[in-house]
Every structure is written in structure tokens, then in C-alpha cells.
Amino acid sequence: MDETGPAPAQPLPYEGVWRFTAPAVDASVPQARHAVRDLLRRQRVPVSEEVAHGLLVIVSELVTNAVRHAAVLSPVLAVEVAVGPVWVRVSVEDDHPYRPTALEADHGRTGGRGLLLVREISVEAGGACDVAHTASGGKVIWAALPLSPH
């Protein structure tokens, strides 16, 4: 009788975690979006077109927020992409301690709806998003989406 239990399943070829840093400047927004798009293609992640589009909007919104609101205290931001067998998670981390709570729309304002958009895209796809503090005192904002919408 084998006491070791079942062998662990091998990860799928597209599974993994990738992390890169970028300066907290406007040019990093399209660069981050293109880097994530290229990563999904290079790894042949079987993500639906709809989810991929939503994911790239989320990356743009999160990096834009880090550039606009955290650059003073965080000149560098980190983008992480984690791909599992049936989901993809993107996160943007910065060293600014402020934890945004703007998840409800203020219809009287013309801006400030980025996190609301991130939440709506996440929920619509059957995913989730949240903000968490980091050990270094900053924050990470993440969104996880299924590879195929439900």
C-alpha cells in the first residue's frame, strides 16, 4: 500500500506567477497593459476575449490609480499576474499607505470611478476584487477573474 498519497497534479503549461515593476509615471499605464496582454498570449492562457478585455481595462485602471495617487510616496509600482487552471488574477502594489474605499459611484464627480469600474468588471465576469495592506505598509489592489465568463 502506498502511504504517500496521490501524486500532485502537474500544473498546466500556462499556469504561473509573473511580476514586474514600473516607475509610477503615465507611460507605465499602456506599458503595463501591453505587458499583461503579451504575457497572456505568450503563455497561451486560454482566456476568453471578453475576460481578456476586462482584465486589460482593470490593469489600466489600477496602474493609473497608483500613478495618480501613490507616486509621491511610491515612485515604483509592481504588477503581478497569477494564472491558475481556471482563473487569472492581476494585482498592482505600491508603497503608499492609503487604502482606497471608493467602491461606490458619486454621480456628481467626473472622475474617481476607476475602482468602481474594476469591481463591476470583476463581478460581471464572476470574479472578485479587493484591497489589502502589505507587510511594508503599502497596499495591493487585486482582481481575479475566471478564464471564461460564467
Side-chain angles (χ1 to χ4, degrees):
M1 183 168 167
D2 182 7
E3 298 290 326
T4 61
Q10 291 295 321
L12 296 167
Y14 58 83
E15 287 183 75
V17 177
W18 296 268
R19 185 176 175 92
F20 59 91
T21 59
V25 297
D26 289 339
S28 293
V29 176
Q31 290 171 349
R33 186 177 55 248
H34 294 158
V36 171
R37 181 199 63 207
D38 294 347
L39 171 68
L40 295 174
R41 288 180 181 163
R42 186 175 60 250
Q43 294 304 123
R44 294 188 173 103
V45 177
V47 63
S48 75
E49 193 67 32
E50 179 183 345
V51 171
H53 176 73
L55 195 67
L56 296 178
V57 171
I58 288 170
V59 169
S60 293
E61 289 296 334
L62 295 182
V63 173
T64 296
N65 282 352
V67 168
R68 287 190 182 155
H69 305 294
V72 168
L73 295 178
S74 184
V76 175
L77 57 92
V79 177
E80 185 175 280
V81 180
V83 182
V86 296
W87 54 268
V88 58
R89 178 183 187 260
V90 294
S91 60
V92 175
E93 181 179 333
D94 63 59
D95 291 328
H96 197 292
Y98 173 70
R99 182 179 168 154
T101 56
L103 292 177
E104 297 299 327
D106 177 352
H107 296 292
R109 294 176 57 195
T110 57
R113 294 192 180 131
L115 288 180
L116 177 65
L117 180 60
V118 168
R119 186 186 74 180
E120 292 301 318
I121 291 169
S122 300
V123 169
E124 180 73 23
C129 62
D130 203 359
V131 180
H133 290 289
T134 62
S136 63
K139 68 183 161 304
V140 60
I141 304 175
W142 61 267
L145 306 178
L147 293 178
S148 298
H150 66 244

